[in-house]
Amino acid sequence: MGANRDFDLLKLAGLEDWVDNPPPPPLESAPPGPPLAELHTSIAGNKTTFRSWTPKEGYQEISIPTRVVVDRRYAASHPGAGVPYETSAIQGVSDRHAGKTPYGPAGAFIDTGDPRGRDIHGGGSGVADPFAPEQSWRATDGCTRGKNEDIERLGRAITAFQNAYPGVAIPYRRTAH
Amino acid sequence: MLFLLTMVMAAQQPSLPDHYRGPNDLGPYKIALGTPLRDLFRILGQPPNADAKYFCYRSRDGEAFLWFEVRAHDPGRTGDLLVSTFPNCRGEPVQVTRARIGKWRTRAGIGLGSPQSAIVGAYGAPVQRWQIQSNNPAIVHNQTGFPNPGPGWRLREWGYESNEDLRFAHFGLRGARVVLILIGNNE
C-alpha cells in the first residue's frame, strides 16, 4: 500500500515517469475457484448465455437467441417490465406453467428468481404454434422469450449443473448490451 | 398432448405489422389488459372453482360455446377468450349460462355467423392465414391453442396481430361464415 501512495504523490508532482509503476495492491481474498456458473441475457444482443466452469469439464458456454420485446401498453403501465435486472440465484427449470399457451411445453421455462416474475420461457399466446420446437416470436409482459427447443436445451445444461453442484448458486443478469 | 389437429401454415409467413388493427372487444370482453374475471363471472355465472386457470361455458340453446383463461401476469384478469359454434373445452367443467354468448359482437359488429367480407370491411385483410383440418373425434380446445371442431371439419383461420403488441384476434371461417373468434392479450 505504501508503494502505491508514494507513486500517487509522484503523479501529483508530475514525476511518475521517473519511477517504475508499482504493482497493483494484492487482492484482499483470492477469486473463488470452480465450480462457477452464471446466466446472462443481453437485451440488445438478443441472446441468453449460460456459462459454467467446473473442475471436471472446464469452461463451457451455451448461448441461445432470445428476445425482450415488451408489449408497449403493458410497459407503459408497468414501469420496469422490460429493463435490465439481476438476481443472486436462479431457481432453474420449472414446470409450473408447462402446457400453458403463454409459456410453452414442459422444460421451456426458466425461473430466474426475479420477484417480479420476469423469467425466461417459450410459448406465446396467439401464435399458431406455441408448443412447436421453433414457435413464432411473440412479445411478452416483461419476460425474456426464446424458442421452445432452445430454452429446453439451455434448461438441461442448467439442471445438469445444479444437480452436480447443488450448493452453488447461479446468478442471473439481464443487461442492456 | 393432442396433436391430432393438422394445421397447414401459409406458404410464406408474412412479416407482422407494427400496429394492431384487429378488434379490441367482443361482447363484454375488453382486450385492453384483460377484462376482470369477476366482471365476466357476473355475466356468465359463478364457476364452481373461481381459482381455476380455465373456464368453460355453453349457451342454454347449445349453439355457442365460450372458453377463457386467466391472464399470465394478472391472475384477476382474463387472458385469451374463445367463442365458437362448437364445444371447445379441454376437460374443464362446462357451465350452462344464461348469457347470450352467441350474440357477442365486436364493436364493428362481427360475431359468430358474420360473413368473412364483414371482417375485411372492418379490419382489412388479415396478417396471418391458416388452414386447419381435424381428424380427431374428440372435441377439445387443442393444446396448440386452436380449437378442434370435430371430425371432418376444415377451418380457415384469419389472424390479426402485430410485432410489439400482445393483442391479437383470430377468426375461424367455415365456408364464408365466422364459426370461431379467439381474441386475447396475454403473454
Side-chain angles (χ1 to χ4, degrees):
Chain A
M1 295 296 281
N4 282 286
R5 192 178 66 182
D6 292 345
F7 186 73
D8 289 342
L9 291 172
L10 287 170
K11 277 179 70 176
L12 281 174
L15 301 172
E16 70 273 23
D17 291 340
W18 295 97
V19 298
D20 291 333
N21 196 340
L27 294 170
E28 292 186 3
S29 62
L36 291 171
E38 74 154 5
L39 186 62
H40 172 232
T41 295
S42 166
I43 297 174
N46 288 323
K47 67 178 180 180
T48 295
T49 305
F50 177 64
R51 300 182 181 90
S52 63
W53 182 32
T54 66
K56 186 178 175 185
E57 296 173 324
Y59 179 77
Q60 292 197 313
E61 181 177 306
I62 293 177
S63 194
I64 67 167
T66 53
R67 291 188 187 179
V68 181
V69 178
V70 181
D71 179 273
R72 290 173 184 162
R73 291 160 308 111
Y74 189 86
S77 60
H78 294 74
V83 303
Y85 73 93
E86 59 185 52
T87 66
S88 58
I90 67 168
Q91 295 296 311
V93 176
S94 167
D95 281 343
R96 67 177 182 271
H97 297 303
K100 296 177 188 169
T101 308
Y103 301 105
F109 184 96
I110 298 169
D111 185 334
T112 65
D114 177 30
R116 288 188 56 166
R118 294 167 294 187
D119 298 303
I120 303 169
H121 59 81
S125 289
V127 303
D129 48 1
F131 298 97
E134 291 187 70
Q135 86 281 20
S136 307
W137 288 110
R138 185 91 173 115
T140 67
D141 281 343
C143 292
T144 299
R145 180 94 67 190
K147 302 285 187 182
N148 292 325
E149 66 179 3
D150 290 334
I151 302 281
E152 291 171 19
R153 183 163 56 93
L154 191 71
R156 284 194 293 271
I158 290 169
T159 301
F161 182 90
Q162 289 177 318
N163 289 341
Y165 308 101
V168 180
I170 302 173
Y172 175 67
R173 292 181 297 129
R174 186 166 83 175
T175 62
H177 298 287
Chain B
M1 281 191 284
L2 297 169
F3 278 117
L4 301 175
L5 204 69
T6 304
M7 186 171 61
V8 181
M9 299 290 292
Q12 187 73 33
Q13 185 88 353
S15 59
L16 296 177
D18 287 337
H19 299 288
Y20 173 77
R21 54 182 169 78
N24 283 303
D25 54 12
L26 180 64
Y29 173 78
K30 309 298 178 197
I31 202 170
L33 300 183
T35 301
L37 290 170
R38 64 175 182 277
D39 289 355
L40 285 183
F41 293 156
R42 284 195 192 107
I43 295 165
L44 297 164
Q46 195 69 17
N49 177 11
D51 294 326
K53 299 294 183 191
Y54 308 100
F55 303 94
C56 211
Y57 290 85
R58 173 173 69 80
S59 64
R60 285 201 296 185
D61 61 11
E63 293 186 353
F65 300 82
L66 170 68
W67 174 95
F68 57 93
E69 66 178 346
V70 177
R71 197 166 194 279
H73 283 276
D74 293 297
R77 291 179 177 272
T78 312
D80 301 351
L81 180 143
L82 168 71
V83 293
S84 61
T85 59
F86 48 85
N88 52 39
C89 299
R90 303 191 305 179
E92 298 90 353
V94 184
Q95 226 179 318
V96 176
T97 177
R98 297 179 62 180
R100 296 185 297 167
I101 50 183
K103 303 292 184 189
W104 286 7
R105 295 286 184 271
T106 68
R107 188 163 298 175
I110 311 296
L112 297 178
S114 293
Q116 69 178 38
S117 58
I119 303 172
V120 177
Y123 309 114
V127 299
Q128 303 265 37
R129 295 168 191 258
W130 303 278
Q131 291 279 352
I132 301 173
Q133 181 177 349
S134 169
N135 295 314
N136 183 3
I139 300 174
V140 295
H141 181 100
N142 187 273
Q143 288 279 11
T144 62
F146 285 84
N148 180 342
W153 275 64
R154 291 186 180 202
L155 285 182
R156 287 177 296 124
E157 191 145 330
W158 287 2
Y160 294 83
E161 53 192 281
S162 67
N163 267 328
E164 299 182 5
D165 193 323
L166 285 172
R167 289 177 295 176
F168 73 93
H170 296 174
F171 294 95
L173 297 158
R174 189 185 188 204
R177 295 279 172 182
V178 174
V179 294
L180 167 166
I181 301 174
L182 175 63
I183 186 170
N185 169 23
N186 199 5
E187 182 161 299

